[in-house]
Amino acid sequence: MKAFRWKRLCAAFAALILGVFCSACSQPSARVTGSELEALRAEYPYAKTNEALSMAHVKDIAAFNNNELAAFVSVTITGPYTSTSTTESPAEGMPAMTTSTYFVPAHVDSVLYQSHFGGQTEIVLRIRGAMDGDNLDCYREGSKIVTMLTVPAAGLNASENEYFSGTESSFYLTDNNVLVSMSDQHPAFHQYSGWNADAFRQELKKALS
């Protein structure tokens, strides 16, 4: 009888260990690194950015916890972008430079963090500072990205569903829910490349609360 009880106890203990192990295996990894991240980079290349707008001096994502921050959202690009361009000389005697603002329609799949966000499900991303001829394949229709939204200045006469965005503060979102940074010019965001989106959501809550 004692032997039978001992076998039952061992079997129950083994089942418990197996259950814990399987549960751990089913949980998404908090971060992808090394060769696995390099393989993702080959599929999700860096987008060309305007270095003049680089915010490389900003090291901490908490620095964006201000009145301009609207939200961090996961979106799907729903159509082709449109653009407006302006040509001007950055300084007297220098050649004229053409910069464009791109308007990218997107559907909000989920909100990772919100501050001054209107709660719309259909929004327009205003991509600032893009140079004439920039490749914006990262915003092709059907693409899934995670991006920071900021509130346009009042003088721009933006519609209520328009928000500023940019490659420096955006990530590709893979089918496995992994973030891959669009740019390496912004350390505050680039450091999260390879993170699981759910882990990034928790990090935002800690950093911005």
Side-chain angles (χ1 to χ4, degrees):
M1 181 65 69
K2 289 183 178 180
F4 177 72
R5 289 179 178 175
W6 175 249
K7 289 180 179 179
R8 289 185 61 185
L9 181 61
C10 288
F13 181 72
L16 176 63
I17 295 298
L18 181 61
V20 171
F21 177 77
C22 291
S23 176
C25 290
S26 65
Q27 296 300 315
S29 174
R31 188 170 190 180
V32 170
T33 58
S35 59
E36 191 174 355
L37 182 56
E38 290 178 8
L40 287 174
R41 177 59 65 196
E43 185 177 354
Y44 300 96
Y46 289 123
K48 182 179 179 181
T49 57
N50 186 350
E51 295 183 0
L53 297 179
S54 174
M55 292 182 281
H57 60 285
V58 181
K59 307 297 183 183
D60 191 342
I61 208 167
F64 296 97
N65 192 8
N66 53 44
N67 290 333
E68 293 183 359
L69 174 63
F72 283 85
V73 294
S74 172
V75 304
T76 300
I77 308 304
T78 57
Y81 56 77
T82 59
S83 67
T84 59
S85 299
T86 58
T87 301
E88 57 186 359
S89 176
E92 185 176 354
M94 296 187 67
M97 180 181 300
T98 300
T99 59
S100 301
T101 298
Y102 289 85
F103 301 87
V104 183
H107 175 80
V108 178
D109 298 318
S110 65
V111 178
L112 282 67
Y113 177 87
Q114 64 179 341
S115 179
H116 299 87
F117 181 55
Q120 302 93 339
T121 56
E122 304 299 327
I123 62 174
V124 175
L125 308 179
R126 292 176 62 121
I127 313 301
R128 296 175 293 181
M131 305 299 292
D132 188 34
D134 277 1
N135 184 348
L136 293 181
D137 283 349
C138 50
Y139 296 111
R140 64 184 180 274
E141 186 174 357
S143 296
K144 292 184 178 296
I145 68 172
V146 168
T147 188
M148 181 178 76
L149 305 179
T150 56
V151 180
L156 292 177
N157 296 318
S159 64
E160 64 178 11
N161 70 329
E162 290 182 1
Y163 295 92
F164 277 138
S165 178
T167 55
E168 288 194 343
S169 55
S170 298
F171 303 87
Y172 300 100
L173 181 63
T174 74
D175 293 339
N176 293 327
N177 211 36
V178 175
L179 305 178
V180 182
S181 59
M182 284 189 181
S183 169
D184 61 353
Q185 298 297 311
H186 202 324
F189 293 91
H190 182 56
Q191 63 182 317
Y192 295 106
S193 190
W195 277 50
N196 176 275
D198 293 330
F200 182 60
R201 183 197 300 268
Q202 296 303 316
E203 187 70 11
L204 288 174
K205 291 180 180 179
K206 290 191 296 182
L208 300 174
S209 62

